[in-house]
Amino acid sequence: MDNSPRGRTVVVTGGTRGVGAGIARAFAESGAHVVACARRPPEVQAEGVEFAPLDLRDPPAVRAFFDALPRLDVLVNNAGGTPYRRLADADAERHARVIELNLVTPLTVSLAAYEHLRRARGSVVMVGSVSGGRPSPGSAAYGAAKAGLENLARSMAVEWAPEVRVNTLVVGMVGTELSSLHYGGEDGVAAVSRTVPLGRLAAPSDVGAAAVFLASDAAAYISGSSLLVHGGGERPAFLDAATANRPPDKEE
């Protein structure tokens, strides 16, 4: 059994920076032919990764892109994201655009890639988020979209079996070039890292390694599943607030 994607063609949406770039590099290092598609080219071209300009929110352009591919074995739906925005601070149309990018776009891309994947008996890897399984104040539309994405993947896995496997990476906090914007510089990143049981944010390569596994023959019987890549999750807030089992303060 070949547990690497060597020789296979992999498309990574949003694969030019951050988590997407880490995923693209991981597949390239495993010997796959990798195409990273996004609206803008990467600042630094990763070795073994081909860039293809594509506006993923343009369905005709997405269909034309996949129709032109000679082969496709693995699709990684990574493109997504959101700014910090409380619900009442923006109109519904702006929140809808977040849902479009994080839920509708992966559906559009997956449908455009389906025939290739069916012929190759390939797989789809959705890049989800822990935000889809817990309250996400400041990114509620994003969390709702990621919850929907995970459900979409499960339904897709049933409808497209046995030719195409579909799984989701449920990703926690990742250290990228934008981490300081989210967490507040080095001190903020360090403080946030201490809340993770494994003591650090994920590296893009951690997510990439998990994506390579789900696309490999080692995961041949895994479909409709969600793989948590979050360093152990989040420490429940009530543990720090509770007074039970707390050692008494020392007397002066």
Side-chain angles (χ1 to χ4, degrees), residues 61-154:
V62 170
R63 288 190 287 269
F65 169 78
F66 282 99
D67 286 346
L69 287 179
R71 179 185 177 92
L72 178 64
D73 299 276
V74 180
L75 168 66
V76 182
N77 277 308
N78 164 77
T82 185
Y84 180 87
R85 182 182 294 130
R86 290 186 177 273
L87 283 170
D89 292 342
D91 55 31
E93 289 83 357
R94 186 161 296 193
H95 293 302
R97 286 196 289 273
V98 173
I99 294 173
E100 178 190 12
L101 175 62
N102 291 280
L103 178 56
V104 179
T105 291
L107 174 58
T108 300
V109 172
S110 298
L111 288 171
Y114 170 68
E115 286 299 331
H116 278 304
L117 294 169
R118 183 185 61 81
R119 285 193 295 270
R121 298 187 72 87
S123 71
V124 177
V125 179
M126 303 290 197
V127 178
S129 170
V130 294
S131 294
R134 57 157 170 75
S136 297
S139 58
Y142 174 80
K146 290 299 188 181
L149 183 67
E150 195 170 348
N151 187 273
L152 173 66
R154 292 193 187 114

Side-chain angles (χ1 to χ4, degrees), residues 191-218:
V192 170
S193 297
R194 289 193 292 271
T195 71
V196 180
L198 288 187
R200 65 176 178 88
L201 304 185
S205 59
D206 293 317
V207 185
V212 169
F213 163 70
L214 284 181
S216 74
D217 290 341

Side-chain angles (χ1 to χ4, degrees), residues 15-16 20-22 24-26 28-29 34 36 42-51:
T16 57
R25 283 194 298 270
E29 290 168 359
V34 183
E43 294 183 3
V44 178
Q45 185 73 39
E47 185 177 353
V49 179
E50 175 188 345
F51 169 69

Side-chain angles (χ1 to χ4, degrees), residues 158-212:
V158 174
E159 288 198 17
W160 291 1
E163 291 86 5
V164 181
R165 294 187 301 108
V166 186
N167 294 290
T168 303
L169 292 177
V170 182
V171 180
M173 296 178 289
V174 184
T176 70
E177 59 268 31
L178 300 178
S179 293
S180 61
L181 297 178
H182 292 286
Y183 308 126
E186 291 185 8
D187 290 343
V189 170
V192 170
S193 297
R194 289 193 292 271
T195 71
V196 180
L198 288 187
R200 65 176 178 88
L201 304 185
S205 59
D206 293 317
V207 185
V212 169

